[in-house]
Amino acid sequence: MPQTYVALDLETTGLDTENDSIIEVGAVRFSLDGKIDEFSTLVNPGKSLAPIVQRLTGITDRDLATAPPIEAVASDIEQFLSGSILVGHNACGFDAPMLDAHRIQRPFAIYDTQQIAEVLLPAAGHYGLADLTSSLSIVLDGHHRALADAEASRQLFLALIEKAMELPSETLSQIGQWLTPTALPWRGFFREAWELRGSRPSNGRPPRARASESSPPVRSSRATDPVPVPVEQSLEILRSASARTDVFEAFEERSQQVQMLSA
């Protein structure tokens, strides 16, 4: 059975995960083969919305007057999330803590598209959902409405998976190994990308052989008889980077780099 994910977004009365309330939930269950199901509901927070929240989301007190309270939809949310990996933009920093504050059970594994993008796209500069979707030509309709942002997060996740699979297999393997012992909720992302890369033909060529589908990333081995590299040769490689904008687009030559490498 293929792995399933649920892209989730919450609209709330504010940014305080302990004291603010959920006013809208949007979620999309999907696999790498496509969308499976959607879930969306308004939630009555039991208090009036601040004008800034109404302007940002377009949701009004009148819209929420007949909406159910969070207690009435909590089990539906839990059921929709069950058995899947949670996907969301800044989900580790906001959506997951908001669910926790409302005592809504959710998966431990969270593929936070903001944090993953910070690793995969170090030159992006801005990592908001609107910025990243725009830079990757993903259409974001209805920003700051839960279901629209959940769908954008789904598409962003798929784009990041493709970006990860462009990395060399050895690099993905090493990253997966480094992250495995950590407590990061998205530690499985790069391992999954490594497995997908190994099972997918690249540029028409058959995939590289692997020990088994379930075998863990393998630690890179070190030569038993390492060969010293002359300092000047290393410095020459470093200096050559300034002419390789195709490899290091934003390379900046700094004297501290030379001093460190020489040492």
Side-chain angles (χ1 to χ4, degrees):
M1 184 175 181
Q3 175 64 61
T4 60
Y5 314 83
V6 173
L8 174 80
D9 185 77
L10 305 175
E11 299 302 328
T12 61
T13 57
L15 301 179
D16 187 335
T17 56
E18 291 297 327
N19 298 304
D20 279 305
S21 302
I22 297 170
I23 60 173
E24 188 178 34
V25 180
V28 181
R29 184 186 294 119
F30 66 100
S31 70
L32 297 181
D33 296 325
K35 287 200 289 187
I36 299 171
D37 199 3
E38 292 183 352
F39 175 89
S40 179
T41 183
L42 292 172
V43 179
N44 190 332
K47 58 184 176 181
S48 297
L49 297 182
I52 188 173
V53 175
Q54 296 190 50
R55 288 195 299 271
L56 188 67
T57 63
I59 299 171
T60 67
D61 290 332
R62 185 175 180 178
D63 296 326
L64 301 179
T66 58
I70 190 63
E71 293 81 6
V73 296
S75 62
D76 294 331
I77 298 170
E78 291 176 349
Q79 184 177 355
F80 197 83
L81 297 177
S82 179
S84 299
I85 293 174
L86 183 61
V87 172
H89 203 68
N90 192 29
C92 291
F94 184 74
D95 300 275
M98 186 64 76
L99 292 176
D100 294 342
H102 286 77
R103 295 181 175 82
I104 297 174
Q105 296 184 12
R106 44 87 180 174
F108 170 79
I110 306 172
Y111 287 176
D112 189 321
T113 51
Q114 177 176 310
Q115 294 185 9
I116 292 170
E118 289 172 357
V119 175
L120 277 174
L121 308 173
H126 300 283
Y127 294 94
L129 182 61
D131 298 309
L132 287 172
T133 52
S134 176
S135 68
L136 294 171
S137 300
I138 296 170
V139 177
L140 176 54
D141 288 328
H143 190 26
H144 295 302
R145 289 305 300 263
L147 190 58
D149 285 354
E151 170 60 17
S153 297
R154 180 186 78 88
Q155 295 188 45
L156 177 56
F157 164 76
L158 294 174
L160 292 174
I161 277 281
E162 292 295 331
K163 287 285 184 183
M165 286 194 291
E166 292 173 5
L167 295 172
S169 181
E170 293 81 1
T171 302
L172 283 174
S173 171
Q174 192 70 66
I175 296 173
Q177 177 193 309
W178 287 338
L179 291 177
T180 294
T182 73
L184 290 170
W186 48 272
R187 64 188 182 218
F189 174 86
F190 286 94
R191 157 129 188 195
E192 188 169 339
W194 172 75
E195 292 176 343
L196 288 168
R197 190 186 192 283
S199 63
R200 179 181 296 183
S202 176
N203 298 324
R205 295 190 297 271
R208 297 184 183 186
R210 294 186 286 137
S212 71
E213 195 66 25
S214 59
S215 60
V218 179
R219 180 181 297 275
S220 298
S221 59
R222 188 173 63 181
T224 53
D225 297 312
V227 178
V229 177
V231 173
E232 186 54 39
Q233 180 180 344
S234 300
L235 292 174
E236 185 61 31
I237 292 172
L238 181 63
R239 286 191 289 265
S240 71
S242 61
R244 291 298 306 273
T245 55
D246 58 320
V247 179
F248 300 105
E249 184 177 353
F251 177 80
E252 177 186 354
E253 191 167 347
R254 299 194 299 272
S255 59
Q256 294 91 336
Q257 291 176 321
V258 175
Q259 293 169 7
M260 180 181 70
L261 187 56
S262 298

